[in-house]
Structure formats: structure tokens, C-alpha cells
Amino acid sequence: VWMDDRPIVYAAEWLKAQKGPAILWYRFRAVGEALARLGVRVWTDPVPDHKVAPKIALSIKKYGTGKQLQYGWSNQLAMAPGPNALEHEQLYGRTVRPGQEASEVKFGWFIHTAALRRNIREARLKAEAINENLLQPQLILLYMKDLKEIEE
């Protein structure tokens, strides 16, 4: 149970307002159920299909790792993006990967705690280290260029 429905209503409105395909990531089943009551398509089938459901809500637990989502989606919002930097990287990695057809991948998240800001910063720092030390370009860095504004 939560005290305020506004974040869920905002997330549902955000998804419905997107011009093209978009993913709304959520963490808890109760949130998925609330989104469904607001008319959001909460995907439960094994593999999401952007042709069937271009605007969907996905469970981080079910779809946040190991799924190839770069072929249909390039715009995402995470409602509760995770306890650590590794999970952030995994979420970004669902669409920021070889085969992404969009020229730009957008990823937003609700940043409501200091711990969340810290995890996002750690994900960026890890990507920077890989980029510099292993000479492996990290696409995530291209999409996090404005992060310094929220860290302060």
C-alpha cells in the first residue's frame, strides 16, 4: 500500500503521451496492477512484441535482464530503478545494444532518493572505467551526459 497515487498516475500519463514505442519499467506487482487499472498495457507474455504492444509496462524482475528489446523500443522510464549500479546497467542494456535501430535511446527514471542518485553515478563511473581502460566504447555514456546536473 502506498500513500500517494500521483507517481503511478504520472507514469501512466507519460506512457500514453509518448509518440512512439515506449517501455515503462516497474518493480512491484501492486504497481503493475495499478497501472493496468489506469489502462496501461502491462505485458505478461514471455517475449514482448513492439508490433503488438508498442507502449507497455514491463516488470523489472521478469524482463530486466537477458531480454533483447533493442529492436522495437528506444524510449523508457523506470519507476523504481533498482538497488545497485549493476541493475541500472542491465536495464539500460535491454535497448542500448547492437541492433538498436534508433539514432537515440532515451532512458528516464524517478530519482527520489540519495541512494538512487549514488547508484546511477556508480553505473556511469563503471562504464567510464571500461571505456577508458579496456577501450570498449560504452553506449550508456552517450545517454548519461546530463547526469551531472542531478548529482549535485
Side-chain angles (χ1 to χ4, degrees):
V1 177
W2 49 82
M3 303 287 289
D4 188 350
D5 286 342
R6 284 181 294 179
I8 294 171
V9 171
Y10 171 85
E13 289 174 356
W14 174 88
L15 186 62
K16 291 173 185 177
Q18 301 310 299
K19 294 191 186 333
I23 297 172
L24 177 61
W25 293 101
Y26 68 92
R27 179 169 306 286
F28 303 106
R29 182 174 16 161
V31 173
E33 292 168 355
L35 289 168
R37 285 192 299 275
L38 292 172
V40 170
R41 181 144 188 198
V42 177
W43 194 263
T44 57
D45 292 336
V47 180
D49 184 343
H50 71 282
K51 293 176 183 170
V52 173
K55 296 179 184 181
I56 58 172
L58 295 178
S59 162
I60 292 171
K61 183 183 256 185
K62 186 170 184 177
Y63 297 103
T65 61
K67 304 295 185 218
Q68 304 285 328
L69 303 176
Q70 74 272 27
Y71 299 108
W73 293 280
S74 60
N75 191 11
Q76 303 158 85
L77 175 65
M79 294 182 67
N84 58 56
L86 180 60
E87 185 172 289
H88 289 275
E89 288 182 272
Q90 284 295 316
L91 279 182
Y92 307 138
R94 298 312 90 225
T95 57
V96 179
R97 58 187 324 130
Q100 175 56 257
E101 297 174 359
S103 60
E104 178 179 61
V105 174
K106 297 177 184 176
F107 198 107
W109 47 86
F110 287 174
I111 301 176
H112 54 282
T113 67
L116 182 54
R117 288 188 295 275
R118 196 170 39 254
N119 290 337
I120 293 168
R121 183 172 48 251
E122 287 175 19
R124 190 194 75 233
L125 292 173
K126 183 176 179 182
E128 287 174 350
I130 292 170
N131 191 51
E132 292 173 15
N133 296 325
L134 301 178
L135 302 176
Q136 295 175 347
Q138 301 295 298
L139 292 176
I140 188 174
L141 296 175
L142 296 175
Y143 309 111
M144 295 181 78
K145 60 185 174 230
D146 297 327
L147 185 60
K148 291 182 182 180
E149 294 176 19
I150 63 168
E151 288 180 0
E152 299 171 356

